[in-house]
Amino acid sequence: MSRTTPKAEKPSTRTAARWSAVCGVAAIGLGVAAGELLAGFLSPSVSPVTALGGVVIDAVPGWAKELAVSLFGTADKIALITSIALVTLVLAALAGLLEYRRKGAGLVLALLAGAAGLAAVLTRAQAAPTAAIAPVVATVVTMLFLRLLIQRLETWRPVREAVDMPLARRSFVQLLGGTAIAAVVAGIVTTVVRRAGTVVSDFRQAVALPAPVTPAQKVPDGAALTLAGLQPLVTPNADFYRIDTALIPPAVNPPEWVLKVTGLVEREVQLDFATLLSKPMIERHVTIACVSNEVGGDLIGNALWLGWPVRELLAMAGPKPGADMVLSRSTDGWTAGTPLEALTDNRDAILAVGMNGEPLPLEHGFPVRMIVPGLYGYVSATKWLTELKVTRFADDQGYWTPRGWSDHGPIKTQSRIDVPRDGRSVKAGTVQFGGVAWAQHRGVSKVELRVDRGNWQEAKLAPGISTDTWYQWQLGLQLSVGDHEVQVRATDATGTPQPEPRTPVAPDGATGFHTIRVTAN
Ligand SMILES: Nc1nc2c(c(=O)[nH]1)N[C@H]1C(S)=C(S)[C@@H](COP(=O)(O)O)O[C@H]1N2
Ligand SMILES: [Mo]
């Protein structure tokens, strides 16, 4: 019977509002965890969260992606997941508040979010029809628990009368606690399932790579210099840079893999994994690089690739006259447009299955990717490869071209100082400098350094493994006490030095000299 005074009502409503936000978070938490758990079984490579992430990645403009890569480097994916989590958290709290204010309002918000998740899943290229189940279940669970929780909250703290009813309170707290525990448990089980979703990793372990019929060129003596701090001549798989639009690497099961050759061809051809492995394989060291690599950057790596020449497969299909491009497609829908010529000439573009003596790591395109010497990855190095469409530049575009990048992407001549590091203090006198230079498919003929814009001095250039790989270089420079600027430039084997003007990475790769500052004392 006792009416509380308006004074006592205020703080009490505020507490209730806070609890309603918590209800929203718990309900969405349970919904999302349930959806992810289900997706772990039904469609491991497309869950509502990864699909939403994929949509965000595809939707953000090129410059924002650039910014993300430059801010977070290869941690850009973690940054994206964190942002999605934060946005979800805010939306969830809002849904709780709304539902408490007005029955049904929070449910509408949850429904809209669920619809967005469903739409995201359906737009993913590798989504099987079963992938739609997870976002639907996630939405239903969220809405159900949101209503239940808010209902109990209202019995405990009615919107108008702020009466504290211990019994109602207990029942509310029990449901809330139960929901939260269920969300956490579902989350943990999801992680375990994902880990156990090592099905594809198991297949990878089981792949026995054939020996190459044409083994790699011998690494020339002296190709790897001994200066401490240089990157290894061949980059270990674990340290190899990774760039792609996939939030988690697509899971491709080799027995189910097929590569289709379509488009302007005499006859369409299909290749399965066992047949590919039975082909005469070649092995090649090739240094691949990302067009987004800044001057001095590390989005570049050199590996020993095992594979079958793309030209052999294209010859089976017979490209029709007029074709000048091959649009290669990944299982996740990503595409690259490569000049037909680069895939058929003698540069040994390959359908790669091996990387440094192992099957391709999942992040690097397992089971099959393309490797094309001399071209940036975005126009050539398609991972999780599934289709080669023979076409024309006039008719088709790869993923990045409509997003502000050139349709052609030959790798530009570049050089990098790795020793000493930018900003370091060194001992005045003779200081050893070292690093790498690359001009894939042309080769490097000369590397030079200059101190404080003085005369260019020629470095010792180690022999490259081939013109398609990077070269190491070393030079001792005389440094007097004080601050110095040191620059490097490479000249390719056609005699063209790399240009001095600084240009940004877009649309077709950065130019300019890598420049570092050191203090000698
Ligand atoms: N399926 C797919 N393949 C892809 C990409 C991608 O986003 N999706 N990115 C390309 C780009 S931009 C580069 S630089 C190389 C990087 O290959 P890596 O991750 O093995 O170093 O892969 C290429 N292949
Ligand atoms: Mo790239």
Side-chain angles (χ1 to χ4, degrees):
M1 266 304 298
S2 67
R3 277 279 145 99
T4 43
T5 63
K7 253 182 196 167
E9 198 170 319
K10 271 238 157 162
S12 162
T13 344
R14 209 183 294 151
T15 328
R18 251 178 243 151
W19 280 113
S20 71
V22 176
C23 290
V25 173
I28 282 239
L30 183 60
V32 169
E36 292 299 295
L37 180 58
L38 208 55
F41 294 105
L42 297 176
S43 57
S45 64
V46 193
S47 74
V49 170
T50 57
L52 270 175
V55 167
V56 174
I57 291 173
D58 288 348
V60 295
W63 61 264
K65 260 179 260 200
E66 273 317 298
L67 190 68
V69 173
S70 61
L71 282 178
F72 306 110
T74 21
D76 57 343
K77 296 200 189 346
I78 297 169
L80 175 66
I81 293 174
T82 314
S83 333
I84 292 181
L86 283 178
V87 171
T88 310
L89 214 62
V90 172
L91 280 180
L94 193 65
L97 282 166
L98 284 175
E99 187 62 25
Y100 181 66
R101 281 277 173 77
R102 201 165 154 215
K103 186 173 173 182
L107 296 184
V108 170
L109 185 60
L111 190 63
L112 288 177
L118 178 63
V121 162
L122 294 179
T123 57
R124 296 290 91 189
Q126 78 270 41
T130 45
I133 298 173
V136 170
V137 170
T139 314
V140 171
V141 168
T142 302
M143 291 173 68
L144 186 71
F145 277 81
L146 181 59
R147 187 83 282 276
L148 280 176
L149 282 165
I150 297 293
Q151 211 162 302
R152 293 245 177 130
L153 176 64
E154 280 163 347
T155 355
W156 168 35
R157 289 184 183 272
V159 182
R160 264 160 252 292
E161 289 152 280
V163 253
D164 202 319
M165 292 183 283
L167 256 177
R169 175 169 185 266
R170 203 161 107 207
S171 118
F172 167 70
V173 171
Q174 274 168 356
L175 183 64
L176 181 63
T179 308
I181 290 170
V184 169
V185 169
I188 292 170
V189 176
T190 307
T191 322
V192 174
V193 170
R194 280 277 156 79
R195 286 270 159 73
T198 46
V199 203
V200 179
S201 307
D202 289 349
F203 279 116
R204 179 176 176 271
Q205 311 267 288
V207 169
L209 294 179
V213 170
T214 314
Q217 309 93 313
K218 202 177 151 299
V219 176
D221 290 338
L225 299 175
T226 52
L227 185 64
L230 285 182
Q231 301 286 309
L233 185 63
V234 178
T235 317
N237 290 354
D239 301 339
F240 210 94
Y241 82 95
R242 173 190 169 194
I243 292 288
D244 54 61
T245 59
L247 208 47
I248 54 168
V252 185
N253 190 350
E256 282 154 28
W257 179 85
V258 272
L259 176 59
K260 294 195 180 98
V261 187
T262 62
L264 297 173
V265 287
E266 297 299 338
R267 58 209 91 74
E268 298 206 339
V269 175
Q270 290 209 8
L271 183 72
D272 63 35
F273 194 63
T275 312
L276 174 59
L277 289 192
S278 71
K279 298 291 184 188
M281 297 263 161
I282 65 174
E283 210 165 29
R284 288 281 177 275
H285 283 100
V286 177
T287 301
I288 65 168
C290 185
V291 67
S292 300
N293 196 29
E294 301 283 351
V295 172
D298 56 7
L299 300 179
I300 176 165
N302 183 37
L304 179 62
W305 308 96
L306 173 77
W308 187 47
V310 185
R311 61 170 177 269
E312 309 276 346
L313 181 63
L314 288 174
M316 286 168 63
K320 286 188 175 157
D324 62 2
M325 187 245 254
V326 172
L327 190 75
S328 52
R329 184 179 296 274
S330 153
T331 53
D332 67 358
W334 188 88
T335 53
T338 313
L340 178 62
E341 161 126 49
L343 300 177
T344 49
D345 66 15
N346 65 359
R347 81 181 63 202
D348 288 340
I350 57 171
L351 302 168
V353 294
M355 182 177 184
N356 291 328
E358 288 175 27
L360 293 177
L362 303 193
E363 318 81 69
H364 295 291
F366 180 80
V368 183
R369 76 176 304 171
M370 273 215 308
I371 290 293
V372 185
L375 303 184
Y376 285 122
Y378 84 106
V379 289
S380 69
T382 305
K383 306 192 267 190
W384 316 291
L385 183 67
T386 183
E387 187 193 346
L388 297 178
K389 179 186 179 195
V390 179
T391 177
R392 305 187 316 151
F393 277 102
D395 300 334
D396 274 300
Q397 288 186 319
Y399 181 91
W400 284 108
T401 303
R403 292 170 168 84
W405 300 80
S406 291
D407 54 359
H408 283 68
I411 299 178
K412 293 181 176 172
T413 305
Q414 265 297 344
S415 47
R416 190 178 75 193
I417 302 171
D418 290 333
V419 185
R421 293 252 156 227
D422 189 18
R424 283 296 153 83
S425 293
V426 293
K427 226 174 115 222
T430 306
V431 181
Q432 290 298 327
F433 284 74
V436 280
W438 58 91
Q440 283 90 323
H441 214 55
R442 298 179 298 280
V444 174
S445 63
K446 188 162 69 171
V447 170
E448 298 159 296
L449 278 80
R450 68 178 177 190
V451 181
D452 302 326
R453 313 262 161 155
N455 292 331
W456 287 109
Q457 304 176 49
E458 195 165 340
K460 169 182 153 194
L461 182 63
I465 302 174
S466 80
T467 58
D468 295 330
T469 60
W470 59 14
Y471 296 60
Q472 295 190 341
W473 58 263
Q474 184 174 351
L475 180 63
L477 289 173
Q478 290 301 317
L479 295 186
S480 56
V481 172
D483 285 346
H484 299 284
E485 179 205 77
V486 181
Q487 293 184 300
V488 63
R489 78 164 178 196
T491 299
D492 74 12
T494 73
T496 315
Q498 64 179 90
E500 174 158 17
R502 281 255 176 184
T503 62
V505 292
D508 61 1
T511 64
F513 301 152
H514 187 209
T515 304
I516 68 164
R517 309 206 123 262
V518 289
T519 306
N521 42 39

